[in-house]
Amino acid sequence: MDTPLDRLTEQFRRLPGIGIKTARKLAYYMVQQPQEQVDAFISAVRNAKETMCFCSVCFNLASQDPCPICSDETRDRSTICVVETPQDVMAIERSGDYRGLYHVLHGALSPLDGVGVDDLRIKELLQRLNDTDVKEIIIATDPDVEGEATALYLARLLKTAGIKVTRIARGLPMGGDIEYADEATLAGAVANRQEM
């Protein structure tokens, strides 16, 4: 039977990271809320969809174009941090330590999933480098197979342009236990050690 609750559950299930149990829980929660809260939720989703856009410079998700980061004249314009997603920009910004610019690829190379060079914002990155005085590219892709493949591809491509290419360090998280860390994380931590 296809009820309105089933259809709502299916819509929640389409969201990334939401399984059937969580989708059902969210659907039940929403139908039990006062109408004003449901209307506010729907309005917030509609407003975000209508007002958010991708920055024409860095391809970050923003409510203006160019985005506030690209528009900020106090940012270091000689450095661009290349990330996979807009969420990565937010994570790095929360640290408060990076003051350069960004470039969002919108994914990582994954031949098995059909994601190739032309599916990412690599051409746009190369165009930006032609139009600016960038001295360093920081590659901040995920430390997984796809992220590493993307980082290696970009490093080879950008080194021919004579630009300094760096990769964010990998290692143990603060508060982590060495005995529970995987081999790749431990290898990265040792390889990227710093003098004290």
Side-chain angles (χ1 to χ4, degrees):
M1 183 187 267
D2 188 31
T3 68
L5 194 59
D6 291 334
R7 288 190 293 277
L8 180 58
T9 299
E10 180 57 29
Q11 292 305 311
F12 279 120
R13 199 175 70 71
R14 291 180 180 193
L15 297 173
I18 303 292
I20 187 67
K21 288 182 181 180
T22 302
R24 194 173 294 124
K25 185 177 183 179
L26 290 170
Y28 276 101
Y29 174 81
M30 288 303 291
V31 298
Q32 293 175 19
Q33 295 308 300
Q35 188 62 44
E36 311 85 57
Q37 286 184 347
V38 173
D39 291 342
F41 180 82
I42 292 168
S43 176
V45 171
R46 183 175 288 119
N47 183 268
K49 181 64 178 162
E50 291 171 354
T51 61
M52 299 299 287
C53 63
F54 290 112
C55 175
S56 60
V57 178
C58 71
F59 300 95
N60 189 18
L61 194 56
S63 58
Q64 68 184 56
D65 185 25
C67 72
I69 294 172
C70 290
S71 300
D72 185 349
E73 292 296 324
T74 66
R75 305 280 306 204
D76 176 5
R77 299 192 172 277
S78 68
T79 307
I80 295 177
C81 182
V82 179
V83 297
E84 293 180 23
T85 67
Q87 296 93 311
D88 297 335
V89 172
M90 294 298 294
I92 295 171
E93 282 296 290
R94 278 194 306 269
S95 77
D97 289 333
Y98 179 68
R99 294 294 304 154
L101 300 176
Y102 294 93
H103 189 84
V104 182
L105 296 173
H106 288 277
L109 294 174
S110 181
L112 294 176
D113 296 322
V115 180
V117 173
D118 293 335
D119 298 310
L120 305 178
R121 298 289 186 170
I122 294 173
K123 284 182 283 199
E124 292 85 350
L125 174 61
L126 297 176
Q127 183 61 47
R128 282 181 76 183
L129 298 179
N130 290 334
D131 299 339
T132 59
D133 293 323
V134 173
K135 293 177 177 53
E136 180 182 7
I137 297 289
I138 302 169
I139 301 175
T141 53
D142 289 342
D144 55 18
V145 173
E146 295 82 5
E148 289 297 321
T150 306
L152 288 171
Y153 177 81
L154 287 174
R156 285 191 200 115
L157 187 66
L158 296 170
K159 282 185 180 178
T160 61
I163 296 172
K164 179 181 178 182
V165 179
T166 58
R167 178 91 164 103
I168 59 169
R170 296 176 300 243
L172 296 171
M174 187 62 102
D177 290 324
I178 291 175
E179 81 177 282
Y180 298 116
D182 62 89
E183 293 82 10
T185 300
L186 282 173
V190 173
N192 297 299
R193 65 190 182 277
Q194 297 176 341
E195 187 173 332
M196 295 180 66

